[in-house]
Amino acid sequence: MACKIDETKIQETIAFHGHSCPGLAIGIRAAELALSRLDFRPGANMVCVTETDMCGVDGIQFLTGCTFGKGNLIHKDYGKAGFTFFDRDKSEGFRALFQDDAIQAFEPANGDSERDARTRAIMEADLADLFSVSSVAVPPVRPARILESIICKECGEKVMESRIRRFGGQDLCIPCFSRHEQKI
């Protein structure tokens, strides 16, 4: 079963990312899964937690509207092709983990490179074969909050209060703290 996202949207996603690749294809298909299972729409109270920083995250951002700037795209650096999508309004969601073995039998054809063949295999595979899916009953993260900005006593720049470090009785940003702390 081929991807159900229309070709125009796929081309726009590729243009946004800058190139077509297997990683982006994984993100496109993960977004397709989210769009088919949850009612992702503008203004919806949706969140995506990505466990990777690979190319696929661009596809998820572009197609679902979840972004770092809006606080509804969260990166947890686990190095896994895992994506949790959650609808806060309906209190329902799921985690999708990419299954690489679903495309192990791909073969380059028609002069395709291995990369192009792998991308094509991901785009043409059935979603049920590409991802193992498990339900998520609670929100994976709290809603974003506006935090106070605190002035770093060394560089003078404003820092979100949750990122300030105390050293020698002073509030320091992470880079300034790192210059003083001997264990880092």
Side-chain angles (χ1 to χ4, degrees):
M1 176 164 113
C3 183
K4 290 184 181 176
I5 295 175
D6 71 64
E7 186 60 31
T8 301
K9 255 319 190 201
I10 291 171
Q11 291 307 314
E12 290 171 354
T13 305
I14 292 168
F16 172 77
H17 179 61
H19 65 267
S20 178
C21 64
L24 182 62
I26 292 167
I28 290 170
R29 298 308 304 276
E32 178 186 2
L33 185 63
L35 294 167
S36 69
R37 292 180 64 118
L38 300 172
D39 187 21
F40 268 70
R41 65 201 179 288
N45 200 2
M46 300 292 181
V47 64
C48 174
V49 177
T50 175
E51 299 174 27
T52 183
D53 61 357
M54 69 162 190
C55 298
V57 179
D58 282 353
I60 290 169
Q61 288 184 96
F62 189 82
L63 294 168
T64 68
C66 292
T67 67
F68 290 115
K70 288 188 286 192
N72 63 347
L73 178 64
I74 309 298
H75 175 233
K76 293 189 176 183
D77 196 7
Y78 297 158
K80 298 180 181 184
F83 311 97
T84 300
F85 297 95
F86 195 84
D87 180 337
R88 287 184 172 132
D89 293 333
K90 295 179 181 174
S91 293
E92 63 182 33
F94 66 93
R95 178 177 183 258
L97 181 65
F98 178 68
Q99 301 298 304
D100 195 53
D101 54 332
I103 58 163
Q104 289 302 317
F106 74 93
E107 289 291 327
N110 304 326
D112 281 352
S113 67
E114 184 174 328
R115 175 181 163 145
D116 290 342
R118 190 169 167 80
T119 301
R120 185 174 26 80
I122 293 166
M123 293 302 290
E124 293 176 358
D126 189 273
L127 286 172
D129 295 333
L130 284 178
F131 297 97
S132 65
V133 177
S134 54
S135 294
V136 176
V138 295
V141 292
R142 293 184 305 269
R145 295 181 301 156
I146 297 173
L147 301 174
E148 182 182 343
S149 292
I150 297 174
I151 304 291
C152 172
K153 295 301 181 196
E154 188 162 309
C155 69
E157 296 176 358
K158 289 185 178 183
V159 183
M160 185 182 344
E161 68 180 310
S162 63
R163 300 300 187 270
I164 214 74
R165 301 292 183 262
R166 295 279 298 165
F167 189 85
Q170 295 190 326
D171 294 330
L172 302 176
C173 67
I174 293 171
C176 290
F177 175 82
S178 295
R179 286 193 290 277
H180 295 287
E181 175 54 47
Q182 297 173 7
K183 296 178 186 174
I184 298 177

